[in-house]
């Protein structure tokens, strides 16, 4: 038995898959099934060991924020790098969310945020309140809010 997350693209499944594999270390394209004209139909990838399947299914089923890919990173440099790459041609959103140029919804989250939000309740609330004012998350600003509460 296998479990994978499946996303329907209009026509950019292979391009998106290759971009994501390039951006996230430890990732790879597993398999590309092609249509008779040579274009990709189904693309299987792994992002940090997590399986995803992308399909070029044509129009009519756009990606939405009802499903997103969350990437947890350790450093602000990683937040900054992924944020810049994924918002290029896309659109930033609130609280670490964004939509990339392919319409995929992402959350770029520093691991420190989980620690802060699970901490002492009034301090966690202060960090959470500051997070809600951000687009790209800033670890130092979140930590400062927690420490000053």
């Amino acid at each position: 038995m296998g479990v994978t997350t499946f996303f329907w693209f209009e026509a950019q499944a292979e391009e998106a898959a290759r971009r994501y594999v390039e951006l996230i270390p430890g990732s790879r394209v597993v398999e590309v099934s092609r249509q008779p004209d040579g274009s990709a139909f189904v693309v299987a990838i792994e992002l940090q060991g997590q399986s995803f399947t992308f399909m070029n299914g044509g129009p009519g089923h756009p990606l939405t924020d009802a499903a997103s890919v969350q990437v947890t990173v350790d450093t602000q440099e990683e937040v900054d790098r992924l944020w810049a790459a994924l918002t290029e041609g896309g659109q930033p959103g609130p609280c670490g969310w964004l939509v990339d140029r392919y319409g995929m919804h992402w959350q770029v989250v520093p691991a420190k945020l989980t620690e802060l939000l699970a901490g002492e309740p009034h301090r966690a609330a202060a960090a959470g309140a500051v997070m809600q004012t951000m687009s790209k998350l800033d670890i130092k600003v979140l930590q400062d809010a927690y420490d000053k509460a």
Side-chain angles (χ1 to χ4, degrees), residues 77-99:
E77 291 77 21
E78 291 172 299
V79 170
D80 295 345
R81 179 185 71 80
L82 281 174
W83 189 267
L86 291 168
T87 57
E88 182 183 321
Q91 183 175 355
C95 304
W97 291 67
L98 63 92
V99 181

Side-chain angles (χ1 to χ4, degrees), residues 18-25 27 81-82 85-86:
R18 293 197 185 282
R19 177 73 171 147
Y20 303 155
V21 165
E22 172 187 299
L23 291 175
I24 300 179
S27 300
R81 179 185 71 80
L82 281 174
L86 291 168

Side-chain angles (χ1 to χ4, degrees), residues 30-51:
V30 175
E31 183 177 19
V32 179
S33 300
R34 299 204 176 272
Q35 300 188 64
D37 68 2
S39 65
F41 179 50
V42 176
V43 182
I45 66 172
E46 289 180 359
L47 300 177
Q48 285 281 314
Q50 176 70 43
S51 296

